[in-house]
């Protein structure tokens, strides 16, 4: 049986105080308690058999192994473990392709989602690292799991700190460790610090980052990067919407080249066709911010008018030294905050999957999901999205190259709906013949409309699905 392994990192379930003393808890994470869940989606028209193995932080299989089957194209949510305290990771094996997303909830206040990883890397970059950053005192920590066969020696190099290695940890196979930037000596005592990091290892690892502020009770969760593209794409930029004190999108663009700097031009395209550009130079092995406050306050590097309302997409059109780039995209509006990863054009496929999608869900929190689909291919295509356990379909029509479409089916799906979606590219508006040459990507934003629940915003990347004619 051929297995696809999806590693979901930083599974922090229920109360951590039981297994750590209070000072260790304060160092490891910002919130006092965490809870995780994972949703697995069958990407096939046949039943899939899955095995979920929960590993404790030391690498031993702990507490629970689940064997299950999932019907064609359906989703199943696996909630917290039936134990009082657990910190570790989860490996999901399946006999056919699957997708998975995990939600991390800190104290019922700061929330974030991320997509499971299918493989690890010996070199991972992290564009957003923070120590006491900004007026809200943002800090980051990351969870790194060894997915190799032997013990991993992991080195962390922060761009802000001198030297080529600022921290070293050893991690047994399947184990995970948390590295917290709030307690790093070389980042502390310097006021407000924002930087980037490179993680290297002698074994493949997977990394997930959480950006957290307990002052505004918000969290943004995203993955690390092992490879990039000379012209990455960003399917959603949402700034000054509806006013300059509302939604903001900050893009940390990282130059993966260890030697060369590069000058990057990012093209912004609004849904109505309006375009503008931002050009900045990025040092080697470092990140530079695009968007963000430049949209609000204006900047000589940005041709977009100061304070312009912008809802659209962005993609790199200039890269002077043709280096590989990646970006972490942060979205925020007050306490609402989420993060997602840029895409490589070559990762686009004719089908994408959204493994967790909700509508008027969760009672008083009132969660809704909306999705954005971007055509990163060279020809126009037509996209239709189908939902589990619902007859509603989203027919997005023709999407031109670099075009974006979105849908918020708040009153189309049933109330208290929780499921998933599959979006497929077609050759024309009849939606009968699959466009196998198409290349699409997507993200899901899930927002709560309740009052008093702090950070009711999460984002994750769609799973790309290869189709064979």
């Amino acid at each position: 049986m051929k297995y696809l392994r999806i590693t979901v990192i930083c599974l922090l379930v229920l109360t951590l105080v039981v297994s750590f003393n209070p000072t260790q808890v304060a160092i490891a994470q910002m919130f006092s308690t965490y809870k995780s869940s994972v949703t697995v989606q069958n990407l096939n028209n046949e039943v899939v058999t899955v095995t979920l193995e929960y590993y404790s932080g030391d690498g031993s299989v702990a507490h629970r192994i689940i064997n299950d089957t999932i019907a064609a194209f359906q989703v199943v949510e696996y909630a917290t473990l039936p134990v009082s305290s657990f910190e570790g990771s989860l490996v999901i094996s399946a006999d056919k392709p699957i997708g998975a997303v995990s939600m991390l909830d800190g104290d019922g206040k700061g929330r974030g989602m991320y997509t499971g990883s299918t493989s690890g890397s010996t070199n991972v970059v992290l564009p957003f690292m923070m120590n006491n950053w900004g007026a809200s005192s943002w800090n980051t920590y990351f969870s790194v799991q060894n997915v190799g066969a032997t013990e991993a020696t992991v080195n962390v190099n922060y761009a802000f700190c001198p030297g080529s290695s600022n921290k070293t940890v050893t991690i047994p196979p399947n184990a995970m460790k948390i590295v917290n930037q709030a307690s790093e000596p070389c980042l502390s005592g310097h006021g407000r610090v924002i930087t980037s990091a490179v993680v290297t290892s002698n074994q493949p690892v997977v990394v997930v980052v959480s950006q957290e502020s307990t002052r505004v009770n918000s969290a943004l969760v995203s993955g690390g990067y092992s490879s990039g593209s000379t012209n990455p794409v960003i399917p959603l930029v949402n700034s000054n919407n509806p006013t300059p004190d509302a939604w903001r999108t900050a893009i940390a663009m990282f130059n993966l080249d260890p030697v060369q700097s590069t000058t990057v031009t990012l093209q912004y395209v609004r849904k109505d066709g309006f375009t503008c550009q931002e050009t900045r130079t990025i040092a080697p092995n470092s990140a530079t911010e695009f968007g963000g406050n430049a949209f609000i306050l204006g900047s000589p590097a940005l041709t977009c008018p100061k304070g312009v309302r912008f809802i659209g997409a962005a993609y790199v059109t200039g890269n002077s030294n043709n280096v590989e780039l990646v970006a972490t995209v942060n979205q925020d509006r007050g306490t609402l905050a989420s993060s997602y990863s840029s895409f490589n054009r070559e990762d686009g496929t004719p089908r994408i999957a959204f493994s967790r999608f909700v509508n008027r869900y969760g009672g008083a929190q009132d969660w809704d999901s909306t999705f954005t689909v971007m055509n990163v291919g060279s020809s126009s295509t037509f996209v239709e999205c189908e939902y589990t356990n619902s007859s509603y379909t989203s027919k997005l029509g023709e999407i031109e190259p670099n075009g974006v479409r979105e849908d918020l089916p708040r009153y189309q799906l049933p109330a208290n709906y929780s499921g998933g979606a599959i979006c497929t590219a077609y050759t024309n508006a009849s939606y009968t013949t699959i466009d196998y040459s198409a290349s699409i990507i997507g993200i899901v934003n899930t927002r709560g409309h309740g009052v008093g629940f702090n950070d009711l915003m999460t984002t994750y990347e769609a799973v790309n699905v290869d189709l064979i004619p």
Side-chain angles (χ1 to χ4, degrees), residues 33-52:
T33 62
Y34 289 81
K35 185 184 295 184
S36 284
S37 63
V38 63
T39 302
V40 181
Q41 183 177 23
N42 181 356
L43 303 178
N44 313 270
N45 59 3
E46 299 176 311
V47 172
V48 65
T49 300
V50 297
T51 299
L52 293 82

Side-chain angles (χ1 to χ4, degrees), residues 8-20 29 33-36 53-65 79-91 104 145 174-176 178:
V8 184
I9 307 302
C10 197
L11 186 76
L12 306 173
V13 182
L14 301 180
T15 305
L16 293 175
V17 176
V18 175
S19 57
F20 296 94
Q29 295 91 33
T33 62
Y34 289 81
K35 185 184 295 184
S36 284
E53 297 177 275
Y54 293 82
Y55 289 88
S56 60
D58 62 4
S60 59
V61 180
H63 305 300
R64 195 176 190 186
I65 298 177
T80 56
L81 286 169
V83 294
S84 59
S85 176
F86 177 80
E87 178 184 82
S89 54
L90 169 64
V91 175
L104 180 65
Q145 185 188 23
N174 299 313
M176 53 80 75
I178 290 174

Side-chain angles (χ1 to χ4, degrees), residues 198-220:
V198 177
V199 177
T200 56
S201 172
N202 63 336
Q203 293 291 312
V205 296
V206 180
V207 181
V208 167
V209 180
S210 185
Q211 308 169 51
E212 297 182 353
S213 168
T214 53
R215 288 194 179 182
V216 294
N217 288 324
S218 296
L220 306 88

Side-chain angles (χ1 to χ4, degrees), residues 123-395:
N123 192 89
V124 180
V125 299
L126 309 173
F128 261 120
M129 296 278 98
M130 294 181 287
N131 179 303
N132 192 38
W133 175 251
S136 299
S137 295
W138 287 90
N139 288 282
T140 55
Y141 68 89
F142 64 83
S143 172
V144 54
Q145 185 188 23
N146 176 9
V147 296
T150 61
E151 183 177 81
T153 300
V154 178
N155 293 292
V156 182
N157 179 29
Y158 298 105
F160 180 84
C161 302
S164 59
S165 179
N166 307 122
K167 188 181 190 70
T168 300
V169 295
T170 57
I171 309 175
N174 299 313
M176 53 80 75
K177 286 191 177 179
I178 290 174
V179 180
N180 179 27
Q181 287 64 65
S183 61
E184 293 284 52
C186 73
L187 298 177
S188 302
H190 300 284
R192 298 171 179 176
V193 175
I194 186 167
T195 186
S196 57
V198 177
V199 177
T200 56
S201 172
N202 63 336
Q203 293 291 312
V205 296
V206 180
V207 181
V208 167
V209 180
S210 185
Q211 308 169 51
E212 297 182 353
S213 168
T214 53
R215 288 194 179 182
V216 294
N217 288 324
S218 296
L220 306 88
V221 182
S222 58
Y225 305 85
S226 59
S227 63
S229 168
T230 57
N231 55 345
V233 292
I234 297 164
L236 179 60
V237 177
N238 185 11
S239 291
N240 300 323
N241 178 29
T243 61
D245 60 352
W247 285 107
R248 179 183 65 165
T249 299
I251 303 162
M253 188 80 68
F254 191 99
N255 173 4
L256 287 163
D257 194 282
V259 178
Q260 301 182 92
S261 63
T262 191
T263 299
V264 172
T265 297
L266 190 63
Q267 176 91 354
Y268 295 99
V269 181
R270 203 164 59 186
K271 290 194 297 182
D272 63 1
F274 168 79
T275 64
C276 52
Q277 296 179 334
E278 185 172 11
T279 302
R280 298 184 184 273
T281 298
I282 312 176
N285 263 357
S286 299
T288 294
E289 183 177 290
F290 288 71
N293 286 336
F295 264 93
I296 301 170
L297 304 176
S299 168
L302 180 67
T303 64
C304 309
K306 175 183 175 180
V308 65
R309 184 179 183 185
F310 189 96
I311 307 171
Y315 52 93
V316 171
T317 57
N319 181 350
S320 62
N321 278 321
N322 289 318
V323 302
E324 289 196 355
L325 305 166
V326 296
T328 295
V329 185
N330 282 357
Q331 306 174 104
D332 66 85
R333 179 179 182 176
T335 60
L336 301 174
S338 67
S339 185
Y340 74 90
S341 302
S342 63
F343 292 81
N344 303 335
R345 287 183 182 273
E346 52 269 31
D347 293 337
T349 53
R351 175 172 286 170
I352 57 177
F354 301 134
S355 300
R356 187 175 188 274
F357 206 90
V358 297
N359 180 66
R360 291 174 286 166
Y361 180 77
Q365 294 178 0
D366 193 17
W367 292 94
D368 277 332
S369 295
T370 180
F371 66 82
T372 299
V373 175
M374 184 174 185
N375 177 9
V376 296
S378 58
S379 301
S380 293
T381 194
F382 295 76
V383 176
E384 180 183 51
C385 302
E386 300 176 279
Y387 300 85
T388 60
N389 306 316
S390 175
S391 59
Y392 173 69
T393 61
S394 296
K395 290 181 169 61

